[in-house]
Amino acid sequence: MNTAGHSKARAPRGLELTPFRGLRYDPDRVGSLAAVTSPPYDVVVRPDGLHHLQSADPYNIVRLILPEAATPEARNAQAAETLRRWRREGVLAADPDPGLYVYEQRDDDGMVQRGIIGLLRVSDPDEQLVLPHEDVMPHIVADRADLMRATSANLEPLLLTYRGDGATTVTAGLIERTAGQRPLLATTTEDGFHHRLWSVTDPAVLTAIGQELACHQALIADGHHRWATYRRLRTEHTSPGPWDHGLVLLVDTARYPLRVRAIHRLLHALPVRDAVAALDGRFRVRHLDVPLSRAMDALVEAAEAGNAFLLAGDGAFHLVDRPDRALLARTVPVDRPPAWRTLDATVLHSTLLDHVWRIPDSPAHIAYIHDAAATVEKAERDGGTGVLMHPVHEDVVRDLARQGVTMPRKSTSFGPKPASGLVLRALDL
């Protein structure tokens, strides 16, 4: 390990986005581009979603981002060998010239998100250039680091946002012009999103984009564990070198606002009846014998007045709100801003999980699921309790991040997330 190079190098003052030779599927070697893509690794609902994607195409990207084997070491070795074989056989091929990639996602409701994929310099935390807003789980960072070491690759971009000034900047103008040209690839995934990708290789344009981005800082919208992994791996390798940078999608949310959704919890070993019984005298609980859509509407209404959650798993829903103020005062830490102390995720973890239900925050006890219907289904099937959450507003997330305050892990889900499998980065290119 050699970290001396990092202390000697002169750090740029802002974001530094570097072109790279993307590694992409050869469309003539796979059934379809849509069939080889996947949501990000932590969105795939295992095992159902994983098995579905594996059967979609023998070359689906889940064989790299979520390999299956008896041990972690075997999984990572399998992913590395699969990547080498796919490259050797031409299933994945490198673009001839380094560039930045303009990426567009569009749905049939008129939502359009565009951004730029490139290699971002992995900055130190004290530079405050890339702002996290959630805590990370060390075992996941270790797992992702092992996979990246084994494959020597960034297999999927994390999602970062920044706030432009709303004017027609160099970057915005480039994105708009590029979107009118013929793309490198276009596909529609089964979730209904249309994806297009273009490569930008003009040196003058790349320089202008770099100069413009150097005036901004970014917020991690999705990929806290991968960013923490980038930082860990950067300290393990000599600088300058390929581990100084990590693959990201950078989106200007002044032009393309992201959707912010909640991440739900599945409490494996807690039956709903026990969860509800423990809340007596501590929260108000109302039984709702209605469909999921109406139960979620009730959650939205309750959340306008304060902390609220929806419990599921016994065939009905239980709306939980109006926590006892004395209970919150005893259980929620007071050394954080009020915006943090009143977050639903804060109350869930500090009050409900830690003090009321006494459930450790570990994979053996809690699963994090992005889809509400999947959470309910798994809770009912497994006999656990699903805790459905209401999303946090983006402005709250960004304000806390700028104060250096991280939210409880898995507090938010920004989207749409980039599809995994459209462009990869191999560190040896």
Side-chain angles (χ1 to χ4, degrees):
M1 182 185 298
N2 183 347
T3 60
H6 298 294
S7 61
K8 295 178 181 178
R10 182 180 65 84
R13 290 194 165 194
L15 301 175
E16 179 189 334
L17 200 62
T18 300
F20 71 109
R21 292 177 62 198
L23 195 62
R24 298 188 294 110
Y25 281 100
D26 182 343
D28 295 329
R29 296 296 306 274
V30 298
S32 73
L33 289 175
V36 297
T37 64
S38 164
Y41 79 95
D42 59 335
V43 179
V44 177
V45 180
R46 300 184 70 173
D48 313 69
L50 178 61
H51 295 161
H52 170 71
L53 291 166
Q54 286 175 333
S55 63
D57 191 282
Y59 298 116
N60 191 283
I61 191 69
V62 294
R63 287 178 168 79
L64 300 181
I65 63 175
L66 289 172
E68 286 196 304
T71 66
E73 294 77 12
R75 289 197 296 270
N76 295 328
Q78 176 181 291
E81 173 53 33
T82 299
L83 179 58
R84 285 192 295 268
R85 185 176 74 254
W86 289 358
R87 293 180 66 181
R88 187 170 61 246
E89 295 174 353
V91 175
L92 288 168
D95 285 329
D97 300 309
L100 298 176
Y101 294 82
V102 172
Y103 175 45
E104 176 190 88
Q105 294 162 278
R106 181 189 299 268
D107 67 14
D108 292 333
D109 295 327
M111 191 287 306
V112 178
Q113 176 177 290
R114 295 179 181 136
I116 295 182
I117 296 176
L119 303 184
L120 189 70
R121 182 181 67 87
V122 181
S123 57
D124 294 321
D126 58 7
E127 294 183 76
Q128 295 188 319
L129 294 179
V130 177
L131 305 175
H133 68 268
E134 289 184 355
D135 295 329
V136 297
M137 291 175 264
H139 73 279
I140 295 181
V141 175
D143 176 72
R144 290 294 103 183
D146 289 341
L147 179 62
M148 286 189 200
R149 287 191 204 96
T151 58
S152 290
N154 300 151
L155 301 172
E156 45 186 348
L158 53 86
L159 175 61
L160 304 181
T161 72
Y162 71 100
R163 298 287 293 179
D165 59 9
T168 304
T169 60
V170 171
T171 304
L174 164 75
I175 290 174
E176 298 303 320
R177 292 192 304 274
T178 302
Q181 301 172 8
R182 182 177 180 178
L184 287 175
L185 65 84
T187 191
T188 301
T189 46
E190 65 178 7
D191 58 4
F193 275 94
H194 310 286
H195 308 261
R196 296 196 296 169
L197 190 77
W198 299 261
S199 177
V200 179
T201 59
D202 185 328
V205 174
L206 297 177
T207 298
I209 292 175
Q211 291 173 343
E212 191 167 271
L213 292 177
C215 302
H216 292 281
Q217 62 179 185
L219 174 73
I220 302 176
D222 184 69
H224 284 80
H225 291 90
R226 280 167 285 167
W227 182 253
T229 301
Y230 290 167
R231 281 185 166 154
R232 172 179 293 192
L233 294 174
R234 175 179 175 265
T235 66
E236 296 177 1
H237 295 83
T238 301
S239 179
W243 297 97
D244 289 349
H245 296 80
L247 186 64
V248 306
L249 166 64
L250 196 58
V251 174
D252 177 3
T253 53
R255 298 182 68 87
Y256 301 105
L258 270 64
R259 297 170 177 171
V260 185
R261 292 176 174 164
I263 301 177
H264 312 292
R265 275 69 167 161
L266 174 61
L267 312 181
H268 297 299
L270 180 67
V272 174
R273 65 177 180 275
D274 295 342
V276 170
L279 298 177
D280 186 37
R282 293 165 164 166
F283 285 76
R284 181 175 70 169
V285 182
R286 287 176 284 170
H287 179 91
L288 303 178
D289 192 8
V290 297
L292 174 60
S293 60
R294 289 180 58 189
M296 293 301 289
D297 289 341
L299 176 62
V300 171
E301 182 177 351
E304 293 178 355
N307 300 118
F309 312 92
L310 197 63
L311 306 187
D314 61 352
F317 297 98
H318 306 268
L319 183 61
V320 177
D321 64 354
R322 297 188 183 179
D324 177 71
R325 296 302 168 188
L327 174 66
L328 296 184
R330 291 195 309 270
T331 57
V332 175
V334 297
D335 60 344
R336 305 288 181 90
W340 181 90
R341 293 163 56 200
T342 55
L343 289 170
D344 287 340
T346 298
V347 173
L348 173 63
H349 285 261
S350 297
T351 303
L352 288 170
L353 295 178
D354 290 351
H355 293 273
V356 176
W357 293 328
R358 299 190 179 279
I359 295 178
D361 191 358
S362 69
H365 296 87
I366 303 175
Y368 293 84
I369 304 175
H370 290 72
D371 183 74
T375 306
V376 174
E377 178 185 350
K378 290 176 74 66
E380 292 179 347
R381 185 176 62 203
D382 301 343
T385 294
V387 183
L388 306 184
M389 309 281 289
H390 182 66
V392 182
H393 196 279
E394 180 187 356
D395 289 345
V396 174
V397 177
R398 191 176 297 275
D399 182 58
L400 286 172
R402 284 175 174 159
Q403 296 179 59
V405 178
T406 55
M407 300 165 66
R409 60 190 58 144
K410 300 294 182 182
S411 294
T412 59
S413 175
F414 283 86
K417 305 177 190 302
S420 298
L422 296 182
V423 59
L424 293 65
R425 181 244 183 155
L427 273 72
D428 63 353
L429 288 174

